[in-house]
Amino acid sequence: MSMNQLTKEITTLMYPHAALIVYKTEQDDRYFLELRRIGDDGRMESGSPVTTEFMKSLVHNFSANYHVTPCGRIPARLLACDTRMGSERYVWYNPPQKHMMFFKGNLGIENAEYHLPGIIYDAGAHGMRIYAYKGKIPTERTPLYAAPFFNVSGAGVCLGNAELKRPSNPTFENLLEYWEKIFWLTEFSHLGSRGNPTKSNLVLVTKAARNAPFCLDELKPLDNLKLKDILK
């Protein structure tokens, strides 16, 4: 944003337009939204139910200002997405490849590129889950395995020390890259609460993948899950 644009944003006067009052039942999670217009004298007028048109306008304006909805070409590796605010979710995969990994010194593993199995990411408003799979391109019937990494419990990821700024005007591609960087730039430091995710010692499994393809026999099935189960 240029200095002139920034100055215009700061000096633009805004006036109270309406107030939203949220009612909630005590017994369950039913809500009712009441809209009260603000009159010229600054007082709230009588209440009325919120209209769909008003909420669409409000959400559209918020989305436009904060640029949270991705756009652009859909990457072939994106399997599913939900761009609705509050329900945001993206599921995608990386085929088997080498990737740079960083480790805390206490693990005794060198920071370097390591061979990986296929990886499926599930990220969004809920945080991040991650899975491993066998083969190059997953299908709906592809079994899912525990991701063979530290900082992962089952499929849940402990996102630690990587500080990244979300793309201000995201495309689908750079949004997936943003989530991947959050995971891969975090130092691996500890086993997750469900213990060793591989059949052998994870430290030895990781070191063996430095100069040879990842041993797929080390992958542990994860609750009999298949890809179709997480695409629901």
Side-chain angles (χ1 to χ4, degrees):
M1 180 183 292
S2 68
M3 185 59 70
N4 287 339
Q5 288 175 309
L6 180 60
T7 301
K8 184 178 178 181
E9 288 282 339
I10 294 174
T11 57
T12 298
L13 292 177
M14 302 189 79
Y15 297 92
H17 174 67
L20 275 177
I21 301 176
V22 182
Y23 298 89
K24 180 180 179 298
T25 56
E26 291 185 352
Q27 296 80 10
D28 49 40
D29 288 333
R30 287 185 296 128
Y31 291 89
F32 175 78
L33 295 179
E34 181 184 77
L35 177 69
R36 286 177 177 264
R37 300 284 181 184
I38 307 296
D40 293 338
D41 59 357
R43 296 175 181 271
M44 284 195 296
E45 299 177 350
S46 58
S48 61
V50 174
T51 63
T52 302
E53 289 71 23
F54 178 84
M55 291 304 295
K56 282 183 177 178
S57 174
L58 192 66
V59 171
H60 175 76
N61 184 267
F62 184 85
S63 299
N65 285 338
Y66 291 94
H67 305 292
V68 294
T69 304
C71 60
R73 189 173 64 86
I74 308 296
R77 62 197 180 106
L78 181 60
L79 301 169
C81 71
D82 184 344
T83 61
R84 293 174 299 173
M85 294 181 67
S87 302
E88 189 182 19
R89 184 182 179 219
Y90 306 91
V91 181
W92 73 101
Y93 73 93
N94 279 342
Q97 60 185 266
K98 294 184 74 174
H99 207 292
M100 187 70 194
M101 299 173 72
F102 301 93
F103 301 90
K104 287 283 188 181
N106 61 312
L107 294 177
I109 306 175
E110 183 179 357
N111 296 335
E113 286 192 338
Y114 291 85
H115 291 275
L116 304 177
I119 300 297
I120 291 173
Y121 306 84
D122 180 354
H126 61 280
M128 174 179 274
R129 292 187 282 267
I130 189 168
Y131 308 85
Y133 71 92
K134 298 179 181 179
K136 293 184 178 179
I137 299 177
T139 69
E140 288 194 346
R141 294 182 177 277
T142 296
L144 302 182
Y145 297 84
F149 308 123
F150 295 91
N151 301 11
V152 177
S153 296
V157 175
C158 174
L159 296 173
N161 48 21
E163 295 183 1
L164 290 172
K165 187 175 181 181
R166 184 186 172 104
S168 59
N169 191 17
T171 63
F172 285 102
E173 189 61 55
N174 67 25
L175 189 60
L176 302 191
E177 291 174 356
Y178 158 78
W179 279 106
E180 290 183 22
K181 285 181 178 178
I182 287 180
F183 180 73
W184 293 109
L185 293 181
T186 297
E187 286 185 318
F188 292 105
S189 59
H190 61 280
L191 284 175
S193 60
R194 292 180 62 168
N196 191 13
T198 50
K199 294 178 181 176
S200 303
N201 183 287
L202 180 57
V203 172
L204 300 180
V205 171
T206 303
K207 287 183 175 180
R210 174 76 188 278
N211 297 309
F214 186 89
C215 180
L216 297 177
D217 291 338
E218 290 290 345
L219 295 179
K220 287 182 177 178
L222 192 60
D223 303 326
N224 294 318
L225 280 176
K226 290 183 170 59
L227 177 56
K228 64 179 181 180
D229 297 317
I230 67 168
L231 295 179
K232 294 178 179 177

Short mmCIF file of all heavy atoms in Angstrom, two decimals, residues 77-107:
data_model
loop_
_atom_site.label_atom_id
_atom_site.label_comp_id
_atom_site.label_asym_id
_atom_site.label_seq_id
_atom_site.Cartn_x
_atom_site.Cartn_y
_atom_site.Cartn_z
N ARG A 77 -2.88 -31.13 -7.26
CA ARG A 77 -2.67 -31.89 -6.02
C ARG A 77 -3.68 -31.50 -4.93
O ARG A 77 -3.67 -32.09 -3.86
CB ARG A 77 -1.25 -31.69 -5.52
CG ARG A 77 -0.90 -30.26 -5.16
CD ARG A 77 0.60 -30.07 -5.07
NE ARG A 77 0.95 -28.71 -4.70
CZ ARG A 77 1.38 -28.35 -3.51
NH1 ARG A 77 1.52 -29.27 -2.57
NH2 ARG A 77 1.69 -27.11 -3.23
N LEU A 78 -4.51 -30.50 -5.18
CA LEU A 78 -5.55 -30.13 -4.22
C LEU A 78 -6.73 -31.08 -4.38
O LEU A 78 -7.36 -31.15 -5.43
CB LEU A 78 -5.99 -28.68 -4.45
CG LEU A 78 -7.07 -28.14 -3.50
CD1 LEU A 78 -6.59 -28.17 -2.05
CD2 LEU A 78 -7.45 -26.71 -3.90
N LEU A 79 -7.04 -31.85 -3.31
CA LEU A 79 -8.06 -32.89 -3.38
C LEU A 79 -9.44 -32.39 -2.96
O LEU A 79 -10.46 -32.90 -3.42
CB LEU A 79 -7.65 -34.07 -2.49
CG LEU A 79 -6.32 -34.72 -2.84
CD1 LEU A 79 -5.90 -35.68 -1.74
CD2 LEU A 79 -6.42 -35.44 -4.17
N ALA A 80 -9.49 -31.44 -2.04
CA ALA A 80 -10.75 -30.91 -1.55
C ALA A 80 -10.49 -29.57 -0.89
O ALA A 80 -9.39 -29.34 -0.37
CB ALA A 80 -11.40 -31.86 -0.54
N CYS A 81 -11.50 -28.70 -0.90
CA CYS A 81 -11.33 -27.42 -0.20
C CYS A 81 -12.69 -26.87 0.21
O CYS A 81 -13.71 -27.17 -0.40
CB CYS A 81 -10.56 -26.40 -1.03
SG CYS A 81 -11.47 -25.75 -2.44
N ASP A 82 -12.67 -26.10 1.27
CA ASP A 82 -13.86 -25.38 1.75
C ASP A 82 -13.36 -23.99 2.10
O ASP A 82 -12.61 -23.81 3.06
CB ASP A 82 -14.43 -26.08 2.98
CG ASP A 82 -15.73 -25.42 3.46
OD1 ASP A 82 -16.01 -24.29 3.04
OD2 ASP A 82 -16.45 -26.06 4.25
N THR A 83 -13.73 -23.00 1.31
CA THR A 83 -13.22 -21.65 1.51
C THR A 83 -14.13 -20.79 2.38
O THR A 83 -13.85 -19.61 2.57
CB THR A 83 -13.01 -20.95 0.16
OG1 THR A 83 -14.27 -20.86 -0.51
CG2 THR A 83 -12.03 -21.71 -0.72
N ARG A 84 -15.20 -21.37 2.90
CA ARG A 84 -16.12 -20.56 3.73
C ARG A 84 -15.42 -20.10 5.00
O ARG A 84 -14.73 -20.89 5.66
CB ARG A 84 -17.37 -21.37 4.08
CG ARG A 84 -18.25 -21.71 2.89
CD ARG A 84 -19.38 -22.61 3.32
NE ARG A 84 -18.87 -23.88 3.85
CZ ARG A 84 -19.63 -24.80 4.42
NH1 ARG A 84 -20.92 -24.59 4.53
NH2 ARG A 84 -19.09 -25.93 4.87
N MET A 85 -15.61 -18.84 5.33
CA MET A 85 -15.00 -18.32 6.55
C MET A 85 -15.51 -19.07 7.77
O MET A 85 -16.71 -19.32 7.90
CB MET A 85 -15.31 -16.82 6.69
CG MET A 85 -14.67 -15.97 5.62
SD MET A 85 -15.05 -14.23 5.83
CE MET A 85 -14.17 -13.91 7.35
N GLY A 86 -14.59 -19.45 8.64
CA GLY A 86 -14.96 -20.22 9.82
C GLY A 86 -14.95 -21.71 9.59
O GLY A 86 -14.91 -22.48 10.54
N SER A 87 -15.04 -22.13 8.33
CA SER A 87 -15.02 -23.56 7.99
C SER A 87 -13.86 -23.89 7.06
O SER A 87 -13.83 -24.95 6.46
CB SER A 87 -16.34 -23.96 7.31
OG SER A 87 -17.44 -23.68 8.13
N GLU A 88 -12.93 -22.97 6.93
CA GLU A 88 -11.86 -23.10 5.95
C GLU A 88 -11.10 -24.42 6.12
O GLU A 88 -10.71 -24.80 7.22
CB GLU A 88 -10.89 -21.93 6.10
CG GLU A 88 -9.87 -21.85 4.98
CD GLU A 88 -8.90 -20.70 5.22
OE1 GLU A 88 -8.82 -20.23 6.37
OE2 GLU A 88 -8.24 -20.30 4.26
N ARG A 89 -10.92 -25.13 5.02
CA ARG A 89 -10.23 -26.41 5.07
C ARG A 89 -9.68 -26.74 3.68
O ARG A 89 -10.37 -26.54 2.67
CB ARG A 89 -11.18 -27.51 5.51
CG ARG A 89 -10.52 -28.87 5.68
CD ARG A 89 -11.53 -29.92 6.09
NE ARG A 89 -10.90 -31.21 6.23
CZ ARG A 89 -11.46 -32.36 5.84
NH1 ARG A 89 -12.66 -32.36 5.31
NH2 ARG A 89 -10.82 -33.50 6.00
N TYR A 90 -8.46 -27.28 3.63
CA TYR A 90 -7.83 -27.68 2.38
C TYR A 90 -7.18 -29.05 2.59
O TYR A 90 -6.50 -29.27 3.59
CB TYR A 90 -6.76 -26.67 1.95
CG TYR A 90 -7.31 -25.25 1.87
CD1 TYR A 90 -7.24 -24.41 2.99
CD2 TYR A 90 -7.93 -24.79 0.72
CE1 TYR A 90 -7.79 -23.14 2.94
CE2 TYR A 90 -8.48 -23.52 0.66
CZ TYR A 90 -8.40 -22.70 1.78
OH TYR A 90 -8.94 -21.44 1.73
N VAL A 91 -7.40 -29.96 1.64
CA VAL A 91 -6.77 -31.28 1.68
C VAL A 91 -5.99 -31.45 0.38
O VAL A 91 -6.55 -31.30 -0.72
CB VAL A 91 -7.82 -32.40 1.81
CG1 VAL A 91 -7.13 -33.77 1.86
CG2 VAL A 91 -8.69 -32.19 3.05
N TRP A 92 -4.71 -31.74 0.47
CA TRP A 92 -3.87 -31.89 -0.71
C TRP A 92 -2.75 -32.89 -0.44
O TRP A 92 -2.61 -33.37 0.68
CB TRP A 92 -3.32 -30.55 -1.16
CG TRP A 92 -2.24 -29.94 -0.31
CD1 TRP A 92 -0.91 -29.95 -0.58
CD2 TRP A 92 -2.39 -29.22 0.93
NE1 TRP A 92 -0.22 -29.29 0.40
CE2 TRP A 92 -1.10 -28.83 1.34
CE3 TRP A 92 -3.48 -28.88 1.72
CZ2 TRP A 92 -0.88 -28.11 2.51
CZ3 TRP A 92 -3.27 -28.17 2.90
CH2 TRP A 92 -1.99 -27.80 3.27
N TYR A 93 -1.98 -33.20 -1.46
CA TYR A 93 -0.93 -34.19 -1.28
C TYR A 93 0.36 -33.76 -1.95
O TYR A 93 0.37 -32.91 -2.85
CB TYR A 93 -1.36 -35.56 -1.84
CG TYR A 93 -1.38 -35.63 -3.36
CD1 TYR A 93 -0.28 -36.08 -4.09
CD2 TYR A 93 -2.51 -35.23 -4.06
CE1 TYR A 93 -0.29 -36.13 -5.47
CE2 TYR A 93 -2.53 -35.28 -5.44
CZ TYR A 93 -1.42 -35.73 -6.15
OH TYR A 93 -1.45 -35.76 -7.51
N ASN A 94 1.43 -34.33 -1.49
CA ASN A 94 2.72 -34.25 -2.16
C ASN A 94 3.14 -35.68 -2.49
O ASN A 94 3.11 -36.55 -1.62
CB ASN A 94 3.80 -33.63 -1.25
CG ASN A 94 3.72 -32.13 -1.23
OD1 ASN A 94 3.11 -31.51 -2.09
ND2 ASN A 94 4.33 -31.53 -0.24
N PRO A 95 3.54 -35.96 -3.73
CA PRO A 95 4.03 -37.30 -4.05
C PRO A 95 5.36 -37.55 -3.35
O PRO A 95 5.96 -36.62 -2.79
CB PRO A 95 4.20 -37.25 -5.58
CG PRO A 95 4.45 -35.81 -5.87
CD PRO A 95 3.63 -35.03 -4.88
N PRO A 96 5.83 -38.80 -3.34
CA PRO A 96 7.13 -39.09 -2.72
C PRO A 96 8.21 -38.17 -3.28
O PRO A 96 8.29 -37.96 -4.49
CB PRO A 96 7.38 -40.55 -3.09
CG PRO A 96 6.02 -41.11 -3.33
CD PRO A 96 5.21 -40.00 -3.92
N GLN A 97 9.03 -37.60 -2.43
CA GLN A 97 10.07 -36.67 -2.85
C GLN A 97 11.04 -36.43 -1.69
O GLN A 97 10.80 -36.89 -0.56
CB GLN A 97 9.46 -35.33 -3.26
CG GLN A 97 8.68 -34.66 -2.15
CD GLN A 97 7.97 -33.39 -2.63
OE1 GLN A 97 8.51 -32.31 -2.50
NE2 GLN A 97 6.77 -33.55 -3.18
N LYS A 98 12.12 -35.72 -1.97
CA LYS A 98 13.03 -35.31 -0.90
C LYS A 98 12.58 -33.95 -0.36
O LYS A 98 12.06 -33.12 -1.10
CB LYS A 98 14.47 -35.24 -1.41
CG LYS A 98 15.04 -36.59 -1.82
CD LYS A 98 16.50 -36.47 -2.24
CE LYS A 98 17.41 -36.28 -1.03
NZ LYS A 98 18.85 -36.31 -1.42
N HIS A 99 12.81 -33.74 0.95
CA HIS A 99 12.41 -32.46 1.54
C HIS A 99 13.40 -32.09 2.63
O HIS A 99 13.91 -32.94 3.35
CB HIS A 99 11.00 -32.56 2.14
CG HIS A 99 10.30 -31.23 2.17
ND1 HIS A 99 10.70 -30.18 2.98
CD2 HIS A 99 9.23 -30.78 1.47
CE1 HIS A 99 9.90 -29.15 2.78
NE2 HIS A 99 9.01 -29.48 1.86
N MET A 100 13.66 -30.78 2.74
CA MET A 100 14.53 -30.28 3.81
C MET A 100 13.82 -30.42 5.15
O MET A 100 12.64 -30.09 5.29
CB MET A 100 14.86 -28.81 3.54
CG MET A 100 15.88 -28.23 4.49
SD MET A 100 17.52 -28.90 4.20
CE MET A 100 18.36 -28.37 5.69
N MET A 101 14.56 -30.93 6.14
CA MET A 101 13.99 -31.10 7.47
C MET A 101 14.96 -30.54 8.51
O MET A 101 16.18 -30.63 8.37
CB MET A 101 13.71 -32.58 7.76
CG MET A 101 12.71 -33.19 6.79
SD MET A 101 12.53 -35.00 6.98
CE MET A 101 11.64 -35.08 8.53
N PHE A 102 14.39 -29.96 9.58
CA PHE A 102 15.19 -29.35 10.65
C PHE A 102 14.88 -30.04 11.98
O PHE A 102 13.73 -30.33 12.27
CB PHE A 102 14.86 -27.86 10.75
CG PHE A 102 15.12 -27.09 9.48
CD1 PHE A 102 14.11 -26.90 8.55
CD2 PHE A 102 16.39 -26.59 9.20
CE1 PHE A 102 14.34 -26.22 7.37
CE2 PHE A 102 16.63 -25.89 8.02
CZ PHE A 102 15.60 -25.71 7.10
N PHE A 103 15.94 -30.27 12.77
CA PHE A 103 15.78 -31.02 14.00
C PHE A 103 16.45 -30.29 15.17
O PHE A 103 17.47 -29.62 15.01
CB PHE A 103 16.42 -32.41 13.87
CG PHE A 103 15.83 -33.24 12.76
CD1 PHE A 103 16.35 -33.18 11.47
CD2 PHE A 103 14.74 -34.05 13.00
CE1 PHE A 103 15.80 -33.93 10.45
CE2 PHE A 103 14.18 -34.82 11.98
CZ PHE A 103 14.72 -34.75 10.69
N LYS A 104 15.86 -30.46 16.36
CA LYS A 104 16.51 -30.00 17.58
C LYS A 104 17.77 -30.83 17.81
O LYS A 104 17.82 -32.02 17.48
CB LYS A 104 15.56 -30.16 18.76
CG LYS A 104 14.43 -29.15 18.81
CD LYS A 104 14.90 -27.79 19.31
CE LYS A 104 13.73 -26.85 19.53
NZ LYS A 104 14.16 -25.51 19.99
N GLY A 105 18.77 -30.21 18.39
CA GLY A 105 20.06 -30.87 18.57
C GLY A 105 19.99 -32.15 19.39
O GLY A 105 20.78 -33.08 19.17
N ASN A 106 19.03 -32.22 20.33
CA ASN A 106 18.97 -33.39 21.20
C ASN A 106 18.60 -34.67 20.46
O ASN A 106 18.80 -35.77 20.97
CB ASN A 106 17.97 -33.16 22.34
CG ASN A 106 16.56 -32.91 21.82
OD1 ASN A 106 16.34 -32.11 20.92
ND2 ASN A 106 15.61 -33.63 22.38
N LEU A 107 18.05 -34.56 19.25
CA LEU A 107 17.68 -35.76 18.49
C LEU A 107 18.87 -36.38 17.78
O LEU A 107 18.82 -37.55 17.38
CB LEU A 107 16.59 -35.42 17.46
CG LEU A 107 15.22 -35.02 18.03
CD1 LEU A 107 14.26 -34.65 16.91
CD2 LEU A 107 14.63 -36.16 18.86
#
